[in-house]
Coordinates of all heavy atoms in Angstrom, one line a residue:
L218 N 15.8 -123.0 -166.7 CA 14.6 -122.8 -166.0 C 14.3 -124.0 -165.1 O 13.9 -123.8 -163.9 CB 13.4 -122.7 -166.9 CG 13.3 -121.3 -167.7 CD1 12.0 -121.3 -168.6 CD2 13.2 -120.2 -166.7
S219 N 14.6 -125.2 -165.5 CA 14.4 -126.4 -164.7 C 15.3 -126.5 -163.5 O 15.0 -126.8 -162.4 CB 14.6 -127.7 -165.6 OG 14.4 -128.9 -164.8
I220 N 16.6 -126.0 -163.8 CA 17.6 -126.0 -162.7 C 17.2 -125.0 -161.6 O 17.2 -125.3 -160.4 CB 19.0 -125.7 -163.2 CG1 19.5 -126.8 -164.1 CG2 19.9 -125.4 -162.1 CD1 20.8 -126.5 -164.8
I221 N 16.7 -123.8 -162.0 CA 16.3 -122.8 -161.1 C 15.1 -123.3 -160.3 O 15.0 -123.2 -159.0 CB 15.9 -121.5 -161.8 CG1 17.2 -120.9 -162.4 CG2 15.3 -120.5 -160.9 CD1 16.9 -119.7 -163.3
S222 N 14.1 -123.9 -161.0 CA 12.9 -124.4 -160.3 C 13.3 -125.6 -159.3 O 12.8 -125.6 -158.2 CB 12.0 -125.0 -161.4 OG 10.9 -125.6 -160.7
G223 N 14.2 -126.4 -159.8 CA 14.7 -127.5 -159.0 C 15.4 -127.1 -157.7 O 15.2 -127.6 -156.6
L224 N 16.2 -126.1 -157.8 CA 16.9 -125.5 -156.7 C 16.0 -124.9 -155.7 O 16.1 -125.1 -154.4 CB 18.0 -124.5 -157.1 CG 19.2 -125.0 -157.8 CD1 20.0 -123.8 -158.4 CD2 20.1 -125.8 -156.9
N225 N 15.0 -124.2 -156.2 CA 14.0 -123.6 -155.3 C 13.2 -124.7 -154.5 O 13.0 -124.6 -153.3 CB 13.0 -122.8 -156.1 CG 11.9 -122.1 -155.3 OD1 12.2 -121.4 -154.3 ND2 10.7 -122.5 -155.6
Y226 N 12.8 -125.7 -155.3 CA 12.0 -126.8 -154.7 C 12.9 -127.6 -153.7 O 12.4 -127.9 -152.6 CB 11.5 -127.7 -155.8 CG 10.8 -129.0 -155.3 CD1 9.5 -128.9 -154.8 CD2 11.4 -130.2 -155.4 CE1 8.9 -130.1 -154.3 CE2 10.8 -131.4 -154.9 CZ 9.5 -131.3 -154.4 OH 8.9 -132.4 -153.9
T227 N 14.1 -127.9 -154.1 CA 15.0 -128.7 -153.3 C 15.3 -128.0 -152.0 O 15.4 -128.6 -150.9 CB 16.3 -129.1 -154.0 OG1 15.9 -129.8 -155.2 CG2 17.2 -130.0 -153.2
G228 N 15.5 -126.7 -152.1 CA 15.7 -125.9 -150.9 C 14.6 -126.0 -149.8 O 14.9 -126.2 -148.6
T229 N 13.4 -126.0 -150.3 CA 12.2 -126.1 -149.4 C 12.1 -127.5 -148.9 O 11.9 -127.7 -147.7 CB 10.9 -125.7 -150.2 OG1 11.1 -124.5 -150.8 CG2 9.8 -125.7 -149.3
V230 N 12.4 -128.5 -149.8 CA 12.3 -129.9 -149.4 C 13.3 -130.2 -148.2 O 13.0 -131.0 -147.3 CB 12.5 -130.8 -150.6 CG1 12.8 -132.3 -150.1 CG2 11.3 -130.8 -151.5
L231 N 14.5 -129.7 -148.3 CA 15.5 -129.9 -147.3 C 15.3 -129.1 -146.1 O 15.5 -129.6 -145.0 CB 16.9 -129.5 -147.9 CG 17.4 -130.5 -149.0 CD1 18.7 -129.8 -149.6 CD2 17.7 -131.8 -148.5
F232 N 14.7 -127.9 -146.2 CA 14.6 -127.0 -145.1 C 13.5 -127.5 -144.1 O 13.6 -127.4 -142.9 CB 14.3 -125.6 -145.5 CG 14.2 -124.6 -144.4 CD1 15.3 -124.2 -143.7 CD2 12.9 -124.1 -144.0 CE1 15.2 -123.3 -142.7 CE2 12.9 -123.2 -143.0 CZ 14.0 -122.8 -142.3
V233 N 12.3 -128.0 -144.7 CA 11.2 -128.3 -143.8 C 11.5 -129.4 -142.8 O 11.3 -129.3 -141.6 CB 10.0 -128.7 -144.7 CG1 8.9 -129.3 -143.9 CG2 9.5 -127.5 -145.5
P234 N 12.1 -130.6 -143.3 CA 12.4 -131.6 -142.3 C 13.6 -131.2 -141.4 O 13.7 -131.7 -140.3 CB 12.7 -132.9 -143.2 CG 13.1 -132.3 -144.5 CD 12.3 -131.1 -144.7
A235 N 14.4 -130.4 -141.9 CA 15.6 -129.9 -141.1 C 15.1 -129.1 -139.9 O 15.6 -129.3 -138.8 CB 16.5 -129.1 -141.9
V236 N 14.1 -128.3 -140.1 CA 13.5 -127.5 -139.0 C 12.9 -128.4 -138.0 O 12.9 -128.2 -136.8 CB 12.5 -126.5 -139.5 CG1 11.7 -125.8 -138.4 CG2 13.2 -125.4 -140.3
T237 N 12.2 -129.5 -138.5 CA 11.5 -130.4 -137.6 C 12.5 -131.2 -136.8 O 12.3 -131.4 -135.6 CB 10.7 -131.4 -138.5 OG1 9.8 -130.7 -139.3 CG2 9.9 -132.4 -137.6
L238 N 13.6 -131.6 -137.4 CA 14.7 -132.3 -136.7 C 15.3 -131.4 -135.6 O 15.6 -131.9 -134.5 CB 15.7 -132.9 -137.6 CG 15.5 -134.2 -138.3 CD1 16.6 -134.5 -139.3 CD2 15.4 -135.3 -137.2
E239 N 15.5 -130.2 -135.9 CA 16.0 -129.3 -135.0 C 15.1 -129.1 -133.7 O 15.6 -129.0 -132.6 CB 16.3 -127.9 -135.6 CG 17.0 -126.9 -134.7 CD 17.4 -125.6 -135.4 OE1 16.6 -125.2 -136.3 OE2 18.4 -125.1 -135.1
A240 N 13.8 -129.2 -134.0 CA 12.8 -129.0 -132.9 C 12.8 -130.2 -132.0 O 12.7 -130.1 -130.8 CB 11.4 -128.7 -133.5
V241 N 12.9 -131.4 -132.6 CA 12.7 -132.6 -131.8 C 14.0 -133.3 -131.3 O 14.1 -134.0 -130.4 CB 11.9 -133.7 -132.5 CG1 10.5 -133.1 -132.9 CG2 12.6 -134.2 -133.8
A242 N 15.1 -132.9 -132.0 CA 16.4 -133.6 -131.7 C 17.5 -132.6 -131.5 O 18.7 -133.0 -131.2 CB 16.8 -134.6 -132.8
K243 N 17.3 -131.3 -131.6 CA 18.3 -130.3 -131.4 C 19.5 -130.4 -132.4 O 20.6 -130.0 -132.1 CB 18.8 -130.3 -129.9 CG 17.7 -129.9 -128.9 CD 17.1 -128.6 -129.2 CE 16.1 -128.2 -128.1 NZ 15.4 -126.9 -128.4
I244 N 19.2 -131.0 -133.5 CA 20.2 -131.1 -134.6 C 20.1 -129.8 -135.4 O 19.1 -129.5 -135.9 CB 20.0 -132.3 -135.5 CG1 20.0 -133.6 -134.7 CG2 21.0 -132.3 -136.6 CD1 19.6 -134.8 -135.6
P245 N 21.2 -129.0 -135.5 CA 21.1 -127.8 -136.2 C 20.6 -128.0 -137.6 O 21.0 -128.9 -138.3 CB 22.6 -127.3 -136.2 CG 23.2 -128.0 -135.1 CD 22.5 -129.3 -134.9
H246 N 19.7 -127.1 -138.1 CA 19.1 -127.3 -139.4 C 20.1 -127.3 -140.5 O 20.0 -128.0 -141.5 CB 18.0 -126.3 -139.6 CG 18.5 -124.9 -139.7 ND1 18.6 -124.0 -138.7 CD2 18.9 -124.1 -140.8 CE1 19.1 -122.8 -139.1 NE2 19.2 -122.9 -140.4

């Protein structure tokens, strides 16, 4: 259960700044 929760949380944590970097620096998310 902790691994599933962690994967879900980590996915969101990684995706949010990746989208931001793509917007300001054109680095693919």
Side-chain angles (χ1 to χ4, degrees):
L218 285 181
S219 178
I220 291 173
I221 294 173
S222 174
L224 288 173
N225 178 61
Y226 175 75
T227 303
T229 308
V230 167
L231 291 171
F232 183 73
V233 171
V236 171
T237 306
L238 273 176
E239 186 172 34
V241 301
K243 296 303 180 182
I244 300 175
H246 66 270

